[in-house]
Amino acid sequence: MVRVFQKSEVVEAILAALRAEFETYVTTSKQARTSGNDAQTKAEGKYDTRSTEENYLADGMAKHALVARQAFDAIAVIPVVDFTETTPISLGALIELAFPTETLWFFLAPAAGGLEVSVRGQTITVLSPDSPLGLQLKDRRQGDSTLQPKTKILRVL
């Protein structure tokens, strides 16, 4: 089945997912920080580490928020360019791959590898150029069937 969607829709869906992820991490970090500094979590003995654990959790969530924000910033500046059959795959490419048992869509981006979004009922996975598949796709073109394992590049948008 041929899916009809614009690459700009895919980028917007990725940015919306990263924005939501950022906001979730910020909110969780703030809640953990508040809880970690609350009078009820004050240590009741030398082995009571609730406050310390809450603050470590807050720090971790803040770091995740920073990563989500950096991914958002990196993807937001990728120009939305249409690829042709002869254009080598690079950042910003929307790629349809035929594997032996299924066909999948990927968006090649500098960050947020593994993030999945849905656009008009189609799941699209963000692919890092440094991932094994990303490395195989670099500089290939639509129609290439030399990828392993037995994968063919159906479309590059």
Side-chain angles (χ1 to χ4, degrees):
M1 169 190 259
V2 175
R3 301 281 182 192
V4 180
F5 46 82
Q6 299 293 319
K7 191 184 325 186
S8 59
E9 291 178 285
V10 174
V11 173
E12 284 304 314
I14 292 168
L15 293 176
L18 288 170
R19 190 177 305 112
E21 191 174 293
F22 171 78
E23 290 169 0
T24 299
Y25 284 130
V26 167
T27 300
T28 304
S29 177
K30 287 179 181 178
Q31 289 171 344
R33 183 76 64 210
T34 299
S35 179
N37 296 321
D38 187 74
Q40 292 181 348
T41 58
K42 186 174 180 181
E44 295 175 0
K46 68 180 185 177
Y47 298 111
D48 186 351
T49 60
R50 286 178 293 174
S51 178
T52 302
E53 291 169 2
E54 288 289 337
N55 281 299
Y56 280 142
L57 177 61
D59 290 346
M61 292 295 110
K63 288 176 185 175
H64 283 297
L66 178 61
V67 168
R69 180 57 197 220
Q70 290 170 335
F72 179 95
D73 291 344
I75 292 171
V77 298
I78 296 175
V80 179
V81 177
D82 290 327
F83 287 73
T84 67
E85 293 178 5
T86 59
T87 307
I89 292 174
S90 62
L91 289 178
L94 181 59
I95 309 152
E96 182 181 24
L97 296 178
F99 292 90
T101 59
E102 62 187 333
T103 299
L104 300 171
W105 283 92
F106 297 91
F107 181 79
L108 193 61
L115 177 70
E116 291 184 346
V117 296
S118 181
V119 177
R120 298 188 188 210
Q122 178 65 52
T123 299
I124 299 162
T125 304
V126 176
L127 183 65
S128 164
D130 296 330
S131 68
L133 182 55
L135 290 169
Q136 282 192 65
L137 289 170
K138 185 178 181 198
D139 296 327
R140 304 235 184 196
R141 290 169 176 76
Q142 184 170 310
D144 192 325
S145 59
T146 61
L147 299 171
Q148 293 300 321
K150 298 180 182 175
T151 304
K152 181 176 181 179
I153 301 169
L154 297 179
R155 285 190 277 179
V156 181
L157 307 175

